Amino acid sequence: MRKLKYILGFILAFSTYSENTFASSETDFNANLQRAYAEIFKLKIQSGRAILAKENPTNPFKVFFEDYADMIELLNSENEVAYEKLADKEEERLEIIENFDEKSPYNRFLRAEIKIHWALLKIRFGHEVKAGYSVIQAYKLLEENQRLFPSFTPNLKSLGCLHVLIGSVPDKHKWITKLVGLRGNIQQGLNELRMVSKDKIWGVEARFCLTFIQAYVLKYDAKQNEEMLQFLENHPDNLNFYFLGTAISLKDNRTEQAIELLKKTPKDASYLYFPIFELYKAETQLFRGNFAQAISAYGTYLRNFRGKTFVKDTYYKLFLCHWLLGDEVKSRQYLLKINTAGSTVAESDKAAQKFYENYLKTSTLPNKTLLKLRIVFDGGYFLEASEILSNLSENSFNTTKDQAEFMYRAGRIYQKTSQTEKAIDAFERSIQLTAGQDWAFAPSSALQLGYIFQQKGQKIKAKAYFEKALAYKNHEYKTSIDNKARAALTEMGM
């Protein structure tokens, strides 16, 4: 559900309908509300709310944008008290919109969007079952709307995102989605989002969704990265896009790019303060090997954020920084904090918790050489990583786990430095060494091997490795690896 985090709901009437059909809708969605939408989408929440305050409280579009602003603030703060106070607003707002013109496609569309807003909030605050039910309701509203108003393009935005998510469900679980009436696939969803992205009003949001999906569900390449940077250059005042662009840069081993984006990020008081940017600053310092500066930035994130997301991961990173600086006392203090802090909704938090639990079982800490190799690689400093790699081999490490990790890291470095055959050998060796274990090195290696053979045009081998990646069970990165493997299979028509 993280994939829908910043999805807005927008409204657009097309000429295929008579003027009378949408006359009241167009009046209700006036220029003032369109300005409010623009401010909220840029994460200028205060100014957006000020504009909304001038509108009729029963205007369905005002109700919708107020709900969107609430969602952003709650996801950002993770304030449970505020969430409980606002929880009743969902039904109140749905009732106002339901009483809106039933002949308008906006009726079902806006209700579906609000249900998606609250599904995201329910997930964040630990109500996963209720969230799932809300998503099903939203999907059914959007599907009905599509049947009734097939030319109503805004409907395709959230429906497209849901179709991508439905298409990401493993084949063995497809019967569940069919049982509850959810149908769709990745390509269908992408086509729907591309259609909306051409629109002069709603295209910006659809482009945001496409970029997110490309980076977090599909495969992200240099061409898409250039397109993202160009889009940011064309929208310098949109904090929402800088949030996404920085996150993608860090995820895609582009530390220097992330640093440049952080410098350009709009920072004046008109924008909502996002503590996550403090975390991004810390990550850039970690990847650069500036551990003392990273410690300071991680501390700023913990002081300014009162929620639970990425807290376990932050304590894990603080452990790493102090440990690599040689301060074993402080490093262990932060290691012990992992268990009692935060949540395990995010994959990085799950990985931190698993690291802590493994430490309890084995009393062993990661190999520092491997750790430094990983940090340099994750930062995107591939030539430096190659230099470190040149002085190492599998026999440089004593445990099978360290050997399996080394071969995976070696495979990734070879892959990024265009040494494809060496990468294949390294990934296959990592899979061999991981046999019988729940370490993430094997499924990660299988995924990369799938990409390599897909690029070579060897579809049968690629399919075998993507399916192998899906077959691994209890590792901490299962959601993201499975999503990417399934997306690749869909792309190949398999």
Side-chain angles (χ1 to χ4, degrees):
M1 299 309 300
R2 294 176 62 203
K3 296 172 184 146
L4 295 175
K5 182 174 179 181
Y6 288 103
I7 295 172
L8 301 175
F10 300 121
I11 312 94
L12 178 64
F14 274 71
S15 59
T16 49
Y17 300 95
S18 68
E19 291 182 4
N20 291 333
T21 304
F22 297 115
S24 63
S25 300
E26 291 169 349
T27 301
D28 289 325
F29 187 45
N30 56 43
N32 203 43
L33 284 164
Q34 291 178 36
R35 287 195 298 273
Y37 146 67
E39 294 294 279
I40 293 170
F41 185 74
K42 293 176 185 176
L43 305 182
K44 292 187 173 185
I45 305 300
Q46 187 174 353
S47 60
R49 286 192 185 280
I51 296 170
L52 291 175
K54 301 173 184 177
E55 295 296 315
N56 186 322
T58 61
N59 183 309
F61 300 106
K62 174 184 178 176
V63 170
F64 168 68
F65 289 123
E66 284 179 337
D67 195 77
Y68 178 68
D70 285 343
M71 179 194 69
I72 289 177
E73 290 185 327
L74 287 172
L75 288 174
N76 183 44
S77 69
E78 294 189 7
N79 186 318
E80 293 190 22
V81 174
Y83 170 75
E84 293 298 331
K85 287 182 178 179
L86 286 170
D88 291 338
K89 290 287 186 181
E90 178 185 6
E91 291 304 320
E92 291 177 17
R93 290 165 175 167
L94 286 170
E95 185 175 348
I96 291 172
I97 295 171
E98 192 169 6
N99 291 329
F100 182 49
D101 183 6
E102 287 190 3
K103 295 180 180 179
S104 168
Y106 301 132
N107 185 303
R108 293 169 184 80
F109 175 70
L110 295 181
R111 284 191 285 146
E113 294 294 299
I114 285 181
K115 286 185 178 294
I116 290 172
H117 291 174
W118 284 90
L120 295 169
L121 290 170
K122 288 167 187 174
I123 287 172
R124 183 62 62 89
F125 290 96
H127 307 294
E128 288 85 357
V129 175
K130 290 181 179 179
Y133 185 58
S134 293
V135 170
I136 293 170
Q137 290 178 313
Y139 174 86
K140 290 183 181 298
L141 282 168
L142 292 169
E143 280 282 280
E144 183 181 8
N145 216 30
Q146 192 65 21
R147 289 194 299 272
L148 294 172
F149 306 97
S151 298
F152 183 65
T153 302
N155 208 64
L156 298 179
K157 173 189 60 65
S158 290
L159 195 58
C161 291
L162 290 174
H163 283 155
V164 171
L165 294 179
I166 294 164
S168 299
V169 174
D171 288 341
K172 67 178 181 179
H173 293 147
K174 290 286 187 186
W175 67 272
I176 300 175
T177 59
K178 291 178 181 178
L179 182 66
V180 296
L182 304 183
R183 290 175 175 80
N185 59 66
I186 292 172
Q187 194 57 52
Q188 176 187 4
L190 292 176
N191 290 339
E192 290 164 342
L193 285 168
R194 289 183 184 122
M195 186 181 300
V196 186
S197 70
K198 297 175 182 178
D199 184 79
K200 63 180 181 180
I201 298 176
W202 317 120
V204 173
E205 186 214 358
R207 180 67 177 273
F208 181 97
C209 297
L210 276 169
T211 303
F212 191 105
I213 287 169
Q214 193 67 53
Y216 287 89
V217 180
L218 309 177
K219 193 176 180 182
Y220 190 76
D221 59 26
K223 180 177 181 292
Q224 289 151 354
N225 188 65
E226 285 303 313
E227 290 174 352
M228 181 199 73
L229 293 177
Q230 184 61 53
F231 202 79
L232 282 170
E233 189 173 327
N234 295 337
H235 298 80
D237 64 340
N238 195 315
L239 183 61
N240 208 351
F241 268 101
Y242 275 92
F243 165 79
L244 178 62
T246 306
I248 291 173
S249 300
L250 289 168
K251 176 183 178 296
D252 200 47
N253 314 118
R254 300 176 189 270
T255 297
E256 296 303 313
Q257 178 174 293
I259 290 170
E260 289 305 308
L261 292 182
L262 286 170
K263 290 177 182 177
K264 296 177 181 178
T265 297
K267 300 177 177 67
D268 66 63
S270 65
Y271 295 92
L272 183 66
Y273 172 66
F274 273 72
I276 192 70
F277 281 103
E278 307 297 342
L279 188 59
Y280 292 162
K281 292 173 187 175
E283 299 284 274
T284 63
Q285 295 304 318
L286 173 65
F287 292 146
R288 276 186 161 183
N290 299 330
F291 302 129
Q293 292 92 321
I295 288 169
S296 177
Y298 283 125
T300 302
Y301 176 70
L302 291 174
R303 286 192 299 274
N304 287 280
F305 182 58
R306 295 291 177 265
K308 297 180 179 180
T309 304
F310 305 128
V311 173
K312 287 183 184 291
D313 181 58
T314 297
Y315 281 125
Y316 169 69
K317 299 289 179 53
L318 283 166
F319 151 73
L320 292 182
C321 290
H322 284 289
W323 190 53
L324 290 171
L325 286 172
D327 190 338
E328 293 199 6
V329 174
K330 281 190 176 180
S331 69
R332 289 175 189 271
Q333 288 174 352
Y334 284 112
L335 173 57
L336 295 176
K337 288 184 178 183
I338 294 172
N339 190 48
T340 56
S343 65
T344 53
V345 174
E347 284 195 335
S348 59
D349 288 325
K350 290 179 183 176
Q353 182 66 29
K354 187 169 183 178
F355 174 83
Y356 168 81
E357 291 170 357
N358 287 337
Y359 171 73
L360 282 189
K361 292 177 184 176
T362 64
S363 297
T364 58
L365 295 174
N367 183 285
K368 284 190 177 183
T369 300
L370 277 175
L371 184 56
K372 290 176 180 176
L373 184 64
R374 176 182 179 178
I375 289 172
V376 171
F377 176 86
D378 286 350
Y381 305 110
F382 304 132
L383 293 180
E384 185 179 342
S386 292
E387 291 177 6
I388 298 172
L389 180 64
S390 66
N391 295 315
L392 299 171
S393 71
E394 181 183 325
N395 294 329
S396 301
F397 305 94
N398 298 322
T399 69
T400 304
K401 185 176 183 180
D402 286 348
Q403 291 171 347
E405 179 176 358
F406 170 73
M407 296 311 299
Y408 169 69
R409 304 290 172 206
R412 291 292 282 139
I413 294 167
Y414 291 137
Q415 190 180 18
K416 288 290 188 178
T417 53
S418 302
Q419 301 178 72
T420 305
E421 296 309 313
K422 285 186 176 181
I424 292 171
D425 291 342
F427 287 138
E428 289 180 340
R429 179 58 178 158
S430 182
I431 290 172
Q432 292 173 359
L433 290 165
T434 308
Q437 302 294 334
D438 61 356
W439 309 327
F441 312 126
S444 298
S445 293
L447 178 68
Q448 297 306 322
L449 283 165
Y451 285 143
I452 288 172
F453 287 111
Q454 182 184 22
Q455 189 173 16
K456 283 173 167 283
Q458 299 180 32
K459 287 190 173 183
I460 302 302
K461 277 193 172 182
K463 178 177 183 289
Y465 278 113
F466 286 134
E467 290 178 342
K468 190 175 186 68
L470 289 167
Y472 290 97
K473 303 301 179 186
N474 303 312
H475 60 91
E476 58 269 37
Y477 298 112
K478 184 164 181 61
T479 299
S480 60
I481 288 175
D482 283 10
N483 283 343
K484 289 184 176 294
R486 283 193 297 272
L489 287 168
T490 299
E491 183 183 351
M492 294 192 300
M494 296 181 175

